[in-house]
Each structure stands twice: as C-alpha cells, then as structure tokens.
Amino acid sequence: MNDTKSTIKSYWDRRSSTFDLSPGHTLSSKKEEDAWKALFLDKIGPGDKRVLDVGVGTGFLSIMLAEIGYSVVGVDLSEEMIKNARKKMDARGLKVRLEVGDAEALPFEDASFDGVVNRAVLWTLPNPKKALAEWKRVLKPGGTLCFFLHGPHSHGLSHRLTKQFTNLIILARERRNPWKSLYDSVDLPMGGGVESSVVIDLLKKAGYAGVRSDPLKEIGQMKSKNMPWYYRISSQKSMQYCYSCRKS
C-alpha cells in the first residue's frame, strides 16, 4: 500500500467511530428508506442479484440492499469501517459478506456482479479513472453501475462564514474536527465535489453504455428536512446526483 492509500485508510479508520453521528450518513425517515429501495429496484431490478457495495463504510447502502433481497458483498479500505458495518449487519440478522478491499484494485474475478453501487466514494479516490475501469471489470455483461456523488461545494463568503459557525457545533456534538478533511491531507482529483458533466464524460470514456445523471431531489429534500438546524443553515446547496450506466 502506497503512502496516499495509507493516509486515506488511516483517515477513515479514525472517522469510523463518529461517522454515523453526521446526519447525512444515516436514514432520516422510513420514507427516505423506501425511496432508496425503490431507486435500487428501478436501477438494478428485482430478483436474485449479486451486488457489490464499494466503500461500504458503516453499511448505509448494504443494509438496504440486503433487505431488498440482493446477495450483497461490501468492501472498504478501512478495517474499522468494516467492523462497524459488521456489527450493524449482525444486529439485523443480515447475511452480507464484508471484507477489506481497495476500490481501485478489487479482489474479485471478472464479471462477478450484477450490480456495483457506492455513495460518495469517487471523490475519495486518487485515481477515479482506474476505479471506474475496475468497477466495469467486475460487472457481468449488461450489469448496472449505480453511484451517488455531490456537485461542487459552494465557496462564497456567506457560506464560508456560516460553515465556520456550524463547524464549532459539529466539533462539540460529533466529537470530530470538521476542519480536518481527507482532501486537506492528500491530493484528490474530485475532492470537494465535481460537476456532473465531468463524471458523465469519464463514464462514457470508460466504455459504459446508457449513461444517466439524475438529480437526487426527492431524497435530498427528505434529508434536508430532517437534518439538525445547524446543518440546514450551512447546507452546501450542491445537488447530489445518481449516476447509472451499464456494462455493454
């Protein structure tokens, strides 16, 4: 493991204990949960599907995917994230295979999965192009890639000032330093969000078919509505997108 990957792994190992304290990392309501599940059924389809969750974290997507009835495998570079995800799976009686793995060098054979999913992973990677090629490699022909990513964050003066106030509250309530982010430690091409057109172009160049970029408006509104007030006032106002495509 090179120095960059070691830094990324160490960051997420540290964040694992407080990760779920951030409201955006957990479900805000049963209605939101139903919306996520409906989205996956639409994108991946019903039935006995084998789905890979890349960057599983504490299990946000994998839990819902397993409850739908998919056969789920989750990988993450962080062993501590895997441990927390496993506790959640065990508490719910869900059978999900979890293992440590690199999103840019997956430990699976070619054409192993009907679907590959992830949320907010591409921005954490030093080589997004390599990751997209890997995700395509492990997909079966006709398999679906479905992932979620925010657009660029706001950098206006008003937002920066409000964000500083919010960070003070986060420091006290979530027991983490919000000023110390991953992309302050390593050079990440997509750190801080990325324009939808850039992601679409990368997917097409990687050889995916049927590339779509859909604003995640409904789920975003549900999350925002149920977030603590100090998150709402400093909302980045950046849209989250659902990217979906197929391995032709």
Side-chain angles (χ1 to χ4, degrees), residues 50-81:
R50 190 166 187 247
V51 180
L52 175 64
D53 183 2
V54 181
V56 63
T58 59
F60 180 85
L61 294 182
S62 283
I63 289 171
M64 291 185 287
L65 293 166
E67 289 176 344
I68 287 172
Y70 297 141
S71 175
V72 183
V73 178
V75 296
D76 202 288
L77 194 64
S78 166
E79 293 178 13
E80 297 304 316
M81 286 287 193

Side-chain angles (χ1 to χ4, degrees), residues 190-239:
M190 295 187 176
V194 61
E195 294 287 354
S196 178
S197 59
V198 174
V199 181
I200 291 172
D201 186 56
L202 285 175
L203 288 167
K204 289 181 177 179
K205 287 181 178 178
Y208 287 96
V211 177
R212 289 179 57 94
S213 172
D214 299 306
L216 212 61
K217 291 181 179 179
E218 182 184 6
I219 290 175
Q221 289 169 354
M222 293 177 195
K223 279 197 172 297
S224 178
K225 180 181 178 181
N226 292 288
M227 276 186 176
W229 63 270
Y230 54 90
Y231 269 93
R232 291 199 302 272
I233 65 170
S234 65
S235 172
Q236 295 283 3
K237 305 299 183 185
S238 63
M239 179 62 67

Side-chain angles (χ1 to χ4, degrees), residues 171-184:
L171 182 66
R173 295 197 175 192
E174 298 183 16
R175 305 192 308 276
R176 68 180 177 89
N177 181 358
W179 288 280
K180 184 65 173 178
S181 69
L182 176 60
Y183 46 83
D184 290 328

Side-chain angles (χ1 to χ4, degrees), residues 4-68:
T4 298
K5 287 293 174 70
S6 294
T7 300
I8 293 171
K9 179 185 182 300
S10 296
Y11 176 84
W12 292 118
D13 279 342
R14 291 193 303 272
R15 282 283 281 117
S16 63
S17 61
T18 59
F19 189 76
D20 286 346
L21 295 177
S22 300
H25 297 161
T26 56
L27 290 169
S28 65
S29 64
K30 180 63 167 60
K31 187 176 180 182
E32 183 195 340
E33 179 183 354
D34 291 342
W36 279 107
K37 290 180 178 179
L39 186 154
F40 284 121
L41 283 168
D42 177 60
K43 298 295 183 181
I44 299 174
D48 184 19
K49 308 283 189 180
R50 190 166 187 247
V51 180
L52 175 64
D53 183 2
V54 181
V56 63
T58 59
F60 180 85
L61 294 182
S62 283
I63 289 171
M64 291 185 287
L65 293 166
E67 289 176 344
I68 287 172

Side-chain angles (χ1 to χ4, degrees), residues 25 27 88 99 102 104 130-131 134-135 212 237-238:
H25 297 161
L27 290 169
K88 289 186 179 182
E99 60 181 84
D102 187 341
E104 297 177 359
K130 185 177 180 181
E134 269 293 273
W135 303 350
R212 289 179 57 94
K237 305 299 183 185
S238 63

